[in-house]
Amino acid sequence: MDFHYYEPAKGHGLKHNPLNAIIAPRPIGWISSRSSTGLTNLAPYSFFNAFLYDPPIIGFSSISWKDTVQNVSETREFAWNLVTKELGDKMNQTSEGFRHGVNEFEVAGLTPIPSRHIRVPRVGESRASMECKVSDIVPLRSASGEKTDGWLVLGEVVAVYIDKALIEDGIYQTALANPILRSGRGDEYIQVTQDRVFEMPRPPGSSHPDFHGSRGS
């Protein structure tokens, strides 16, 4: 293979930074939050994922100290909301750089639904949501220890909502929800569809069995 090689500190030499196109597709962290004064915010983050089963921890990274990070630092709570194909345009609307205090739920015509364990509303139209309590806010640093303008927010999932139509034989059907994920450049997304799903049996001992189906009740 003939490789394009580069060292990030010296530039990538391409028309667009390939980092987030290589690490793709990435689930979207559609995060709702609330300030200590009661202002509600909703914003998508493309650097998002799950990090632990027990306790369940998910997290997102912000490239600057935005309203969402400020809010979660004040209240120590946030909610994650699944972005599906039919919600793509509304999610995209909430990514706009609105002035402080603008309610993205209202701008995008979304329904804020009260949560049970946190004071942050979830997106009523989302087919799956998670209530989270912040476990850590980590300032990101370079390998040399230099501070960056990036922040990793980690939260313990304390409640989960799933549209029952997405559950078959006790198993959540990922593709049935038609989720969309971030691809490379800012305008590119990928949709998960059933015809693209395949199975690959995992070898014995590759994961902890207690966390894969045996804790259903």
Side-chain angles (χ1 to χ4, degrees):
M1 287 182 282
D2 184 16
F3 288 96
H4 172 78
Y5 169 84
Y6 74 93
E7 298 173 19
K10 300 177 181 178
H12 50 73
L14 300 173
K15 291 182 178 180
H16 188 274
N17 191 333
L19 177 67
N20 58 351
I22 296 172
I23 305 176
R26 302 181 308 283
I28 300 171
W30 205 15
I31 307 298
S32 49
S33 63
R34 180 178 179 273
S35 72
S36 59
T37 58
L39 297 177
T40 301
N41 185 271
L42 177 64
Y45 288 84
S46 69
F47 290 160
F48 164 84
N49 222 310
F51 293 92
L52 193 65
Y53 270 117
D54 188 21
I57 292 178
I58 64 175
F60 64 95
S61 178
S62 177
I63 59 174
S64 64
W65 189 271
K66 298 181 179 180
D67 285 347
T68 301
V69 183
Q70 179 64 38
N71 289 348
V72 300
S73 71
E74 294 174 356
T75 65
R76 312 295 293 183
E77 299 174 338
F78 67 89
W80 169 81
N81 306 276
L82 177 68
V83 181
T84 51
K85 185 62 167 60
E86 64 271 19
L87 290 176
D89 288 340
K90 292 183 180 296
M91 176 279 297
N92 197 36
Q93 291 180 52
T94 65
S95 68
E96 186 174 335
F98 297 107
R99 69 180 186 280
H100 178 70
V102 171
N103 187 328
E104 288 84 0
F105 278 89
E106 294 179 356
V107 171
L110 294 163
T111 308
I113 300 296
S115 297
R116 298 188 185 187
H117 300 281
I118 60 177
R119 292 175 295 174
V120 177
R122 59 189 175 87
V123 176
E125 292 78 7
S126 182
R127 303 186 73 180
S129 297
M130 298 183 186
E131 297 179 15
C132 301
K133 294 190 176 182
V134 173
S135 57
D136 210 352
I137 300 177
V138 183
L140 299 177
R141 300 176 182 273
S142 68
S144 63
E146 182 179 357
K147 291 182 179 179
T148 72
D149 198 20
W151 303 84
L152 173 63
V153 177
L154 298 172
E156 179 179 347
V157 178
V158 297
V160 179
Y161 301 82
I162 303 173
D163 179 352
K164 289 183 178 179
L166 301 179
I167 301 174
E168 295 181 357
D169 297 324
I171 300 174
Y172 175 77
Q173 304 296 313
T174 301
L176 193 58
N178 293 317
I180 59 175
L181 304 93
R182 287 302 304 272
S183 184
R185 297 177 299 137
D187 296 338
E188 292 183 346
Y189 291 83
I190 292 176
Q191 179 182 358
V192 177
T193 56
Q194 189 60 48
D195 61 312
R196 298 291 184 178
V197 176
F198 67 95
E199 294 188 6
M200 182 183 298
R202 302 176 71 173
S206 64
S207 61
H208 200 306
D210 288 347
F211 301 146
H212 291 274
S214 61
R215 292 191 178 182
S217 59

